[in-house]
Amino acid sequence: MKNIFKLSIGFLITAIAFTSCGDQKSSKSNGALSSSKAEKVYVAPGEHDSHYAFISGGYSGNLTVYGLPSGRMFKEIPVFSQFPTNGYGYSEETKPLLETSYGFVPWDDSHHPDISQTNGKLDGRWVFINGNNTPRIARISLTSFETEEIIEVPNSAGNHSSSFITENTEYVVAGTRFSVPVPQKDMAIKDYKGNFKGALSFISVDPEHGHMDIKFQVLMPGFNYDLSHPGRGKSHGWFFFTTYNTEEASTLLEVNASQNDKDFIAAINWKKIEEYVNNGGGTMMPANYAHNVYDENTHTATSTMKKEVRVINPSEVPGAIYLLPTPKSPHGCDVDPSGEYIVGNGKLSANLTVHSFTKMLDAIENEKFDGDAYGIPILKFEDVLAGSVEQPGLGPLHTEFDGQGNAYTTFFISSEVVKWKLGTWEVLDRKPTYYSVGHLTIPGGNSREPFGKYMFAMNKITKDRYLPVGPEMEHSAQLYDISGDKMELLLDFPTHGEPHYAAAIPAEIIKDKSRKIYKLAENEHPRKATNESETKVVRDGKNVHVYMTLIRSHFTPDNIEGIKVGDKVFFHVTNLEQDFDVPHGFAMIGANNAELLIAPGQTKTLTWEAKQVGVWPFYCTDFCSALHQEMQGYIRVSPADSNIELSWSLGED
Ligand code: RUQ
Ligand code: CUA
């Protein structure tokens, strides 16, 4: 008995020694403190993640907020799509945010979030994202985590090479994917070549309030402008765009746009064009585009139609635009933290092409041109090439950087992330992704100072990674620890909609300034009621305005009579709470739009049409107190010709 005991203890010790030895080894080679993958992503109850990730919602049109390393989703921020959860795009205050020159567009396809920067570093003030389908750029506050502004981009179609930020947030840049007639006109599609144009828009950002304004558009040849990135550091002042379909085909692009051995990266010296514009250069062209701004004090958005935009033809500013030949139908266009290397991820190319900014300047200075395209000088491939990563994988899409001299490229076809070294171009590591990876993100990966601890890959295909939920499922993201020599897959987590790019940032840069409430004293909503004595019901013809308040656990008023069939009732609901995390909801039976979710101190308006005679209840949808179920009221609707007086009350029998 004793011996067996001893023996098994001995075995146990050996086993423990063996395992811990193995673990130590792996933890050493991974350069991380914790020994198991589970520990590396485990955020204990009550503790917080170290990073925020803002992941594009793709065809959901919105933006989701995740924590890293846990992969937990904290919030969906409605941007380009209506959101019944809180009434965004349904409430009267937020509807103007979704106005466009095409009318009210309650949906989009959002692709590339990018966080504002100061001196090339993430400053955590705003995150911008593009609406791809009906070209728009949105600005979201990282204090309130709400969409504050949306500007439509005229002359653009398929706003895909967007929305990327220059290193002092001078501009958010938006490029068209589809070239179109500019201005739009009725013409034969087969006459595309030489006649369509690609507009690249430089949208200035007001440094204090973030307000956006299209400073100028460059009308480029009719290629497809796929992705873009700003120069930084030494290349600050330039912007780089990948192009495909330099063949200018308008049909069967899968064949016809894959003919040229090389397409281009367009290098644009925006500082030079800006100077030209500041001196009055360019032409004001008639246009029609919406500029929608949300005011945090009135809690209300307004939409204005703008009537002209400044356009520049490349020939007007000689020396500002060059084309860098890049094999072959490049997708991602990525600039390393130093600003020296510009990576063109040629989807159909065997090698990954890296251009040198210094060589580009040299070639320009020595006028080593290889012809031109519509007057834009083409540089020689060999003259601008920094190097290429030889046969790293199949179907490169996007590259990010860790700030330690390494680059990480996704390969869609071979489903992997490949780590390689800037300057020597050698492949250092490769890890499979499950499956068909699109973008990848390193916190700060599009800045001068990446935070290279984590990288996550956003995959297009999910297949067997989670429990099956029918044919339609969420896409998947995968988190890797990149602090060691080799990448280590830590976690799978589902994303919402289709994740294209994501922006991520250490939590400490933004978490402490996150807004907790709206101060009632600062509420400037024209139909607010900041205490119960200000509540009232006002008839204006067939419109009835209800100035209503909410507080745990009642509505004021909660009984309203004198509404008639055919009336339009506007519930202007103010949440009087001034405590963090006490929203109230407002739901009205038969409402044809949505409910409202109203943050403390905020006023929101829901419109309800009285259609049938009766007594109709409303209630709070958010479980706000022990007496939440008591938080309810009634509207009496009388026949259209009734003479019941308008009256409202609380607590009267
Ligand atoms: S894209 S998967 Cu819309 Cu950014 Cu490349
Ligand atoms: Cu207010 Cu429930």
Side-chain angles (χ1 to χ4, degrees):
M1 184 79 177
K2 233 182 178 176
N3 277 348
I4 291 176
F5 187 64
K6 262 192 189 160
L7 198 71
S8 52
I9 289 275
F11 177 75
L12 212 64
I13 288 170
T14 327
I16 288 170
F18 203 79
T19 355
S20 60
C21 173
D23 276 349
Q24 262 167 22
K25 220 167 143 197
S26 74
S27 76
K28 233 187 210 156
S29 67
N30 290 319
L33 289 172
S34 47
S35 54
S36 85
K37 294 180 185 184
E39 265 176 60
K40 286 181 179 177
V41 300
Y42 182 65
V43 177
E47 285 181 7
H48 290 168
D49 281 279
S50 59
H51 293 72
Y52 284 99
F54 298 92
I55 305 186
S56 83
Y59 42 68
S60 84
N62 292 337
L63 182 69
T64 45
V65 187
Y66 281 74
L68 299 179
S70 73
R72 298 177 294 185
M73 183 173 120
F74 301 142
K75 183 171 188 172
E76 177 171 359
I77 303 174
V79 184
F80 297 112
S81 295
Q82 285 179 311
F83 197 57
T85 307
N86 65 7
Y88 177 91
Y90 295 97
S91 71
E92 297 305 317
E93 290 81 0
T94 51
K95 280 198 299 202
L97 279 170
L98 302 180
E99 283 299 333
T100 75
S101 63
Y102 304 87
F104 184 74
V105 176
W107 167 88
D108 214 307
D109 177 20
S110 59
H111 279 230
H112 307 120
D114 206 7
I115 295 172
S116 54
Q117 298 184 17
T118 303
N119 296 325
K121 291 184 219 164
L122 302 188
D123 63 20
R125 302 215 285 163
W126 307 296
V127 54
F128 297 81
I129 192 166
N130 56 321
N132 195 56
N133 179 53
T134 303
R136 288 174 281 176
I137 300 290
R139 180 176 54 82
I140 295 131
S141 156
L142 289 182
T143 307
S144 65
F145 288 61
E146 290 196 41
T147 301
E148 289 191 328
E149 187 175 0
I150 295 181
I151 192 163
E152 192 180 349
V153 187
N155 297 329
S156 182
N159 175 32
H160 194 264
S161 34
S162 324
S163 48
F164 299 103
I165 311 292
T166 55
E167 71 173 30
N168 283 301
T169 320
E170 296 96 333
Y171 292 99
V172 49
V173 175
T176 197
R177 177 165 144 219
F178 309 119
S179 283
V180 289
V182 176
Q184 273 291 2
K185 63 174 180 198
D186 175 22
M187 63 176 281
I189 299 169
K190 68 169 177 37
D191 296 335
Y192 176 133
K193 197 167 183 159
N195 291 314
F196 283 26
K197 291 265 175 296
L200 308 179
S201 307
F202 287 74
I203 302 168
S204 61
V205 179
D206 167 68
E208 201 182 334
H209 300 105
H211 288 156
M212 297 184 283
D213 187 24
I214 301 178
K215 177 105 170 174
F216 57 88
Q217 294 190 312
V218 186
L219 298 182
M220 294 286 286
F223 310 148
N224 287 45
Y225 296 84
D226 205 14
L227 277 144
S228 68
H229 263 97
R232 55 178 58 98
K234 63 169 77 165
S235 53
H236 178 55
W238 289 77
F239 223 94
F240 304 94
F241 297 82
T242 42
T243 68
Y244 66 100
N245 193 23
T246 50
E247 297 85 350
E248 295 181 74
S250 60
T251 182
L252 198 64
L253 264 65
E254 61 173 318
V255 178
N256 296 331
S258 306
Q259 300 301 310
N260 290 349
D261 183 46
K262 296 190 177 64
D263 295 280
F264 300 119
I265 284 180
I268 306 225
N269 185 335
W270 59 259
K271 277 245 165 107
K272 198 165 192 147
I273 301 177
E274 180 187 59
E275 206 181 292
Y276 173 71
V277 165
N278 286 344
N279 290 323
T283 314
M284 293 311 282
M285 175 185 162
N288 194 29
Y289 58 102
H291 183 209
N292 310 328
V293 182
Y294 182 80
D295 179 317
E296 248 197 7
N297 293 321
T298 61
H299 307 165
T300 303
T302 46
S303 177
T304 322
M305 293 309 285
K306 297 241 192 174
K307 293 296 176 195
E308 42 178 26
V309 67
R310 185 178 299 272
V311 296
I312 314 290
N313 281 308
S315 60
E316 289 171 52
V317 198
I321 306 177
Y322 299 91
L323 299 171
L324 286 58
T326 306
K328 178 170 188 182
S329 299
H331 184 59
C333 179
D334 300 293
V335 180
D336 86 304
S338 74
E340 167 64 8
Y341 298 123
I342 304 132
V343 184
N345 304 260
K347 299 188 298 269
L348 306 176
S349 157
N351 301 335
L352 201 62
T353 305
V354 185
H355 295 305
S356 154
F357 179 71
T358 315
K359 285 188 165 184
M360 181 191 93
L361 289 188
D362 271 7
I364 292 170
E365 188 155 349
N366 296 311
E367 298 189 8
K368 290 192 185 162
F369 303 138
D370 193 9
D372 68 279
Y374 298 101
I376 303 173
I378 301 173
L379 300 168
K380 279 202 196 103
F381 179 67
E382 304 74 36
D383 289 342
V384 293
L385 187 70
S388 44
V389 188
E390 301 286 323
Q391 309 209 327
L394 296 176
L397 291 186
H398 298 281
T399 300
E400 289 264 296
F401 307 90
D402 62 5
Q404 312 290 321
N406 304 306
Y408 301 74
T409 301
T410 53
F411 290 84
F412 180 81
I413 299 172
S414 50
S415 282
E416 57 188 339
V417 179
V418 173
K419 175 180 176 181
W420 50 277
K421 198 154 191 58
L422 288 161
T424 68
W425 325 119
E426 63 191 306
V427 170
L428 302 174
D429 188 24
R430 59 176 69 242
K431 283 286 177 312
T433 58
Y434 306 91
Y435 306 89
S436 296
V437 58
H439 276 271
L440 77 173
T441 294
I442 291 172
N446 174 34
S447 78
R448 251 152 77 175
E449 284 189 19
F451 305 87
K453 178 169 165 55
Y454 297 115
M455 175 272 289
F456 58 100
M458 287 157 275
N459 306 330
K460 304 296 183 190
I461 293 174
T462 312
K463 281 204 195 289
D464 55 5
R465 301 308 287 180
Y466 314 123
L467 286 173
V469 289
E472 188 190 317
M473 54 191 140
E474 299 289 33
H475 288 220
S476 82
Q478 294 186 302
L479 181 74
Y480 295 78
D481 180 339
I482 55 165
S483 57
D485 293 340
K486 301 285 172 194
M487 298 175 272
E488 188 187 7
L489 175 59
L490 300 179
L491 182 73
D492 275 18
F493 61 97
T495 59
H496 189 55
E498 180 180 353
H500 288 260
Y501 193 41
I505 184 169
E508 68 252 20
I509 299 179
I510 53 180
K511 71 175 178 7
D512 294 331
K513 64 183 179 76
S514 182
R515 182 183 269 286
K516 295 201 157 58
I517 61 163
Y518 292 94
K519 290 199 184 115
L520 270 178
E522 291 169 4
N523 185 329
E524 288 169 18
H525 192 291
R527 303 208 191 247
K528 69 184 173 183
T530 48
N531 63 59
E532 293 185 356
S533 65
E534 290 173 8
T535 60
K536 60 187 173 184
V537 182
V538 180
R539 177 176 285 284
D540 171 16
K542 283 195 166 302
N543 293 341
V544 179
H545 293 277
V546 180
Y547 297 69
M548 181 183 263
T549 61
L550 306 169
I551 199 153
R552 281 162 288 180
S553 297
H554 60 268
F555 292 88
T556 310
D558 68 354
N559 281 192
I560 300 170
E561 301 202 353
I563 306 292
K564 296 172 196 171
V565 169
D567 282 349
K568 224 183 205 183
V569 183
F570 297 88
F571 292 98
H572 308 288
V573 192
T574 304
N575 181 348
L576 296 181
E577 307 284 354
Q578 291 287 272
D579 290 337
F580 182 35
D581 201 17
V582 194
H584 290 285
F586 176 80
M588 183 68 218
I589 192 169
N592 295 113
N593 30 33
E595 61 161 334
L596 297 177
L597 193 70
I598 307 134
Q602 202 175 32
T603 304
K604 283 187 179 173
T605 301
L606 191 79
T607 306
W608 180 78
E609 285 173 46
K611 292 178 180 162
Q612 299 173 53
V613 164
V615 178
W616 306 104
F618 55 89
Y619 70 99
C620 169
T621 46
D622 189 309
F623 210 107
C624 49
S625 76
L627 297 173
H628 154 80
Q629 290 296 78
E630 282 70 14
M631 198 165 169
Q632 62 169 61
Y634 287 105
I635 308 281
R636 174 181 174 186
V637 178
S638 306
D641 59 356
S642 128
N643 48 19
I644 304 275
E645 287 278 299
L646 196 60
S647 67
W648 60 96
S649 62
L650 168 76
E652 284 169 23
D653 268 327

